[in-house]
Amino acid sequence: MTAELVRGQNHPLPGTRLEIRVSVGKPIVAGVTLSDEQGKVRGTDWVAHPGAPALPGLEVPKQAAAEHRLAVDLDAVPEAVHRVNVLLALPVGVGGPVSFGALAAPFVAVTGLDGSQVASYTITDLDAESAVVALELYRRQDAWKVRAVGQGYAGGLADMLTDQGLPGAHELAGTINEAVAQGLARSVAAPPPRPSDEARVRATGQPSPGPGSRGPDGAAAGRPDPATHQPGDAGAGTTGAGTAGGPVNYTHPGRQTTTPPPPPPTAAPAEPGRPAQPVAGDATGWSMEERLYNQVWGMFEDLARTMAAYRSAVDFADSRMEQELDKVLSDPRSRIGNTGDAAREAARAKHGLLVDQARAALDRDLGQLAAESEVVEPALPAPYAGWDSPVWQGYRVPMEIPMALRLGDLHLPERPDLRIPMLVRLPLERGLWIDSGRSSGTDSLADADQLRRLAMDSAVAHAARLLAAYPPNEFSVHVIDAAGTAAGALAPLVTSGVLAEPPASGAAGVSAVLAKLTQRVDLVQMAIRAGAADALPPDLDTAEQLLIVNDFPHGFDDRAVTQLRYLADEGPAVGVHLMMVADREDAAEYGPLLDPLWRALLRLTPVADDHLADPWVGHAWTYEPPMAPPGSQVVQQVLNQVGQARRTGGR
C-alpha cells in the first residue's frame, strides 16, 4: 500500500533502485543535490540539473516539463553521500508563473522500477516560493528512508543551494536557469525539408487527444523517446509538421501494431506547386470510424508541433536580437553615433525578418489544418461530433460501443477558431471532474450559483453523450444530489427515463448509492481474481455504471468520502465510473486527504479554460466544453430515444 506522507513524515524504502515521479501541471525544473552527514553539498559535482543531468546513481530530466521522472540507484551514489534531495524550481525568464502559489500543489511519488508506488507527497501551503525541496532520501543505520520535506524558498534556486552550503550557489543557479531557457527554446527541432506530397508519419501508440491515453495533461503515447525529450512513457517517434521544412501533409499511416488496409484513394492529385487537398478518412484503419479517429489524432499532433516550432523560432529570434544588441552596447565606440544606431536597426530588422518567416510558415500550416478540419468535422460520426452537427438529427441507438467519445474541443491562442475534437477512448479509464469553482477562464461577473448551474448542465451533456454511445441497457447512470439543488439541470435525464433510479438525496440516499456501487466493485474484482465471472449474483447489473455526484462534499460523512475515493481508484477497471461536479474549495477542510481523489479524475470545466497542459511541447491547451447550441433540444431528443430503447430492449 502506498504511504501518503505529510510534511516531516518518513517511510522506509524497500529497495535502492527507484523512480521519482513529479506532476505539477505547468513546466518546472527538477533536479537533485547530494549532501554529506552534516547536510552540506560539497560542490557542483554533487548537483544533478538540466545542464548536467547525470551523476553516479542519478539521472534527472534535461528540460522543464509539467511531469518528470527521475531515476535513482542508491547503491551507486558515493559513500560520503547521506542525503539525496529532490529539488523543484520554476523556470526563470520564460514568461511562466513566478511562484508555486499560482500552480496546483506539486505531487511527488517514489515508485519501484515496476511502477508500484512506495510513497507519495502532495506539497501544500506554497505561496511566494519559486523553489522547493520536495523530498529527501537519507541513510539510517545502513538502510534508506524517504522524508517529505516541502521546504520552499522565495529567493529561488540560489537561496536553496546557498542554504545547503554549496560554494558558488548563485553562479550555479544562473547556469541552471540558462540551461533550462536554452532547452525550452530548442525543445522542438525543425524536420528536414520535405516535398508537399511526401507521406506524413504519425505514431499513435494509444492515441487520444485527451488525458488518460495521450493528451495535454496526459500520458506519452506517440511522443519521442524520453532520452531526448522530457521524461515520460516511451512512445514511438513522430515526424512533426508545421515548420519551415514544408507544409502539412495528409497521408497518415495510423496504427503501427498491425498493418490495416490503406486509406481509400479518394483524394484528387495535387496540382504542381500546390498541397494535396485534405480528405475525410485519409488515414489507415480497419473502418471509417478508426480512420477518422486516427486522422483527428494526427491533426492534434500537427497543431501541437506546428505551434511549438513557431514559438521556438520566435524565441530564437528574440534571443539573437538580444545578443546582437548586447554586443553593440558592450562596445563603447558603437554606443553613440550613427554606427550604434545602424547596428541596432540591423538587429531589429533581422529579428523582424525571422519572425515574419516563422509566421508565414505558421499561417501556411494552420491554413492547411483548417482546411482539413472543415472537411473532417462534417464527416464525424455521432460519438465524435459536436452537438451542433446534423448527424444528431439522424441519431439511432447503436448496437456496439464506439472507439472513443468527444468530451469537448481543444485550441491554442494563436488560432482560437481552429478547434480539435478532444476524444477519449471507451470505456473510460478514469473518472471526470466538472470543476464548478472559479478558474482562469471564468467570467469575473459570474457568481458561484451560475458556475454551479453551468457545471451541472455540462455534466448532463457529458452523461447524455455516454448514454448515446452505448447499446440499450449497457450503460446505467446513478445520481447523488444530496441537497436537491440540481433538479432543473437533471430534468432531461429524469424525464427521459434513462436513470437507473431517481436521484439520491440526503445522507441516507448518499450512503445507499455508495454502498451499492462499492459492493458491485468488490464482487466483480473477486470474480475476476478467482476466474469465476459466471459466479456473480444473477441480479447484479453487469452494465457499465456512471455515478454523477453533485455539490460534493454536502451530505458526505467520512465513510462516504472513503467510499468515493475507493470508487475513483478501483471503479474504472471493473466498469464503475465517477463524474464529480464540485468546487475543490468547498472540500478544503479535508486538506491533503482528498488530493488523490482529485488527481484520479480528469478535470474539465463548464467554461473555456486553458488548464490542460502538454508537457512535451510546453503548450497550455484551452478546453471548450461540449454544450448544445442555445435553444436547441438535441440533448433532450437524444435522451428520449435512449430512454425509449431502454424500455423496449432496443426494438
Side-chain angles (χ1 to χ4, degrees):
M1 179 180 292
T2 304
E4 297 179 7
L5 306 180
V6 297
R7 183 176 282 113
Q9 187 178 0
N10 60 56
H11 186 74
L13 295 175
T16 56
R17 299 187 65 190
L18 307 165
E19 188 174 71
I20 298 173
R21 303 185 181 187
V22 180
S23 177
V24 181
K26 294 285 186 180
I28 65 165
V29 183
V32 168
T33 59
L34 306 177
S35 54
D36 56 23
E37 200 166 5
Q38 285 73 42
K40 182 178 179 180
V41 180
R42 296 183 178 180
T44 56
D45 57 343
W46 275 27
V47 182
H49 57 84
L55 292 179
L58 297 169
E59 186 171 355
V60 303
K62 298 179 181 179
Q63 295 184 3
E67 295 184 359
H68 287 293
R69 296 190 181 189
L70 290 69
V72 179
D73 183 356
L74 295 172
D75 286 337
V77 301
E79 285 293 329
V81 172
H82 283 258
R83 296 181 191 173
V84 177
N85 307 290
V86 179
L87 318 179
L88 308 178
L90 297 175
V92 175
V94 296
V98 297
S99 69
F100 277 103
L103 304 179
F107 173 71
V108 187
V110 180
T111 73
L113 295 183
D114 60 353
S116 59
Q117 282 195 14
V118 177
S120 64
Y121 174 39
T122 301
I123 310 173
T124 57
D125 299 327
L126 294 178
D127 187 11
E129 297 88 346
S130 59
V132 61
V133 179
L135 299 173
E136 67 174 11
L137 313 179
Y138 63 99
R139 295 184 195 263
R140 179 60 55 89
Q141 297 178 352
D142 298 327
W144 287 90
K145 291 187 174 184
V146 57
R147 177 184 288 119
V149 180
Q151 175 64 53
Y153 296 83
L157 275 172
D159 282 7
M160 176 193 293
L161 297 173
T162 299
D163 192 43
Q164 295 185 12
L166 174 67
H170 286 75
E171 291 78 2
L172 180 59
T175 300
I176 295 173
N177 291 329
E178 182 179 356
V180 171
Q182 292 177 354
L184 288 173
R186 63 171 182 265
S187 59
V188 178
R194 299 173 295 172
S196 62
D197 60 347
E198 181 181 344
R200 175 182 59 189
V201 181
R202 298 180 182 132
T204 59
Q206 293 181 349
S208 167
S213 44
R214 188 274 178 214
D217 77 342
R223 286 299 193 182
D225 188 275
T228 56
H229 282 62
Q230 293 92 331
D233 294 337
T238 312
T239 299
T243 67
V248 177
N249 231 311
Y250 293 101
T251 304
H252 173 34
R255 298 192 313 182
Q256 304 298 314
T257 54
T258 59
T259 307
T266 54
E271 298 180 14
R274 298 185 61 184
Q277 295 301 307
V279 175
D282 188 16
T284 56
W286 297 100
S287 64
M288 178 57 75
E289 178 191 19
E290 186 176 4
R291 289 170 180 166
L292 288 169
Y293 176 84
N294 287 335
Q295 190 170 15
V296 169
W297 160 244
M299 292 165 61
F300 177 84
E301 277 280 334
D302 279 343
L303 180 55
R305 292 190 176 278
T306 294
M307 204 61 66
Y310 168 72
R311 293 178 182 179
S312 179
V314 172
D315 288 343
F316 171 77
D318 292 342
S319 175
R320 178 173 175 174
M321 183 178 69
E322 290 177 4
Q323 292 174 3
E324 293 181 353
L325 292 176
D326 288 343
K327 184 178 180 180
V328 172
L329 293 174
S330 65
D331 187 354
R333 295 171 298 179
S334 61
R335 291 178 187 168
I336 58 176
N338 295 334
T339 303
D341 293 340
R344 283 187 282 269
E345 283 299 321
R348 296 188 181 101
K350 290 179 183 177
H351 174 270
L353 179 62
L354 290 173
V355 172
D356 289 345
Q357 290 175 344
R359 186 72 209 191
L362 174 68
D363 290 341
R364 176 199 64 209
D365 291 340
L366 290 182
Q368 291 187 7
L369 283 170
E372 185 175 17
S373 178
E374 291 175 359
V375 171
V376 170
E377 188 70 43
L380 295 177
Y384 300 177
W387 284 119
D388 57 349
S389 172
V391 72
W392 288 106
Q393 304 305 318
Y395 168 77
R396 295 292 182 270
V397 178
M399 300 309 295
E400 59 182 19
I401 302 172
M403 286 182 61
L405 189 75
R406 187 172 186 158
L407 290 185
D409 295 332
L410 301 172
H411 66 82
L412 293 169
E414 286 85 349
R415 186 70 184 266
D417 61 318
L418 179 54
R419 302 186 177 187
I420 307 298
M422 177 180 171
L423 304 181
V424 297
R425 294 295 295 263
L426 291 180
L428 295 174
E429 297 178 359
R430 61 194 298 198
L432 305 177
W433 166 28
I434 316 298
D435 190 352
S436 59
R438 290 191 174 276
S439 61
S440 60
T442 303
D443 185 348
S444 59
L445 300 178
D447 59 25
D449 291 339
Q450 182 181 1
L451 289 174
R452 289 190 176 94
R453 287 194 296 271
L454 289 172
M456 200 60 210
D457 289 342
S458 179
V460 170
H462 287 302
R465 281 185 164 275
L466 285 162
L467 284 162
Y470 278 78
N473 299 313
E474 290 193 18
F475 194 86
S476 296
V477 178
H478 310 262
V479 177
I480 290 178
D481 184 21
T485 58
L490 291 170
L493 296 176
V494 175
T495 59
S496 60
V498 297
L499 294 181
E501 55 200 6
S505 60
V510 171
S511 177
V513 172
L514 291 176
K516 178 180 178 180
L517 292 177
T518 301
Q519 182 186 43
R520 184 192 184 280
V521 171
D522 290 338
L523 289 174
V524 175
Q525 281 185 338
M526 287 189 291
I528 292 174
R529 290 167 184 165
D534 55 349
L536 289 169
D539 59 343
L540 183 74
D541 184 2
T542 57
E544 297 275 316
Q545 309 287 314
L546 174 68
L547 173 60
I548 303 175
V549 179
N550 179 47
D551 204 18
F552 175 81
H554 185 87
F556 281 72
D557 56 19
D558 290 346
R559 176 179 173 81
V561 169
T562 301
Q563 290 176 316
L564 195 68
R565 285 187 54 185
Y566 177 73
L567 292 179
D569 292 338
E570 305 294 336
V574 292
V576 178
H577 311 284
L578 190 60
M579 184 185 295
M580 298 275 291
V581 182
D583 180 358
R584 189 169 182 173
E585 292 299 319
D586 291 342
E589 64 185 56
Y590 288 94
L593 177 66
L594 288 183
D595 287 343
L597 172 64
W598 306 118
R599 287 196 303 272
L601 305 175
L602 168 59
R603 178 175 175 252
L604 303 175
T605 53
V607 295
D609 186 59
D610 60 348
H611 68 280
L612 294 176
D614 186 340
W616 293 101
V617 288
H619 298 321
W621 292 86
T622 296
Y623 166 79
E624 291 269 2
M627 304 302 290
S632 172
Q633 297 298 313
V634 61
V635 175
Q636 184 68 69
Q637 293 168 3
V638 169
L639 287 173
N640 288 340
Q641 285 187 256
V642 173
Q644 178 66 21
R646 288 174 62 92
R647 291 187 291 272
T648 61
R651 296 190 297 274

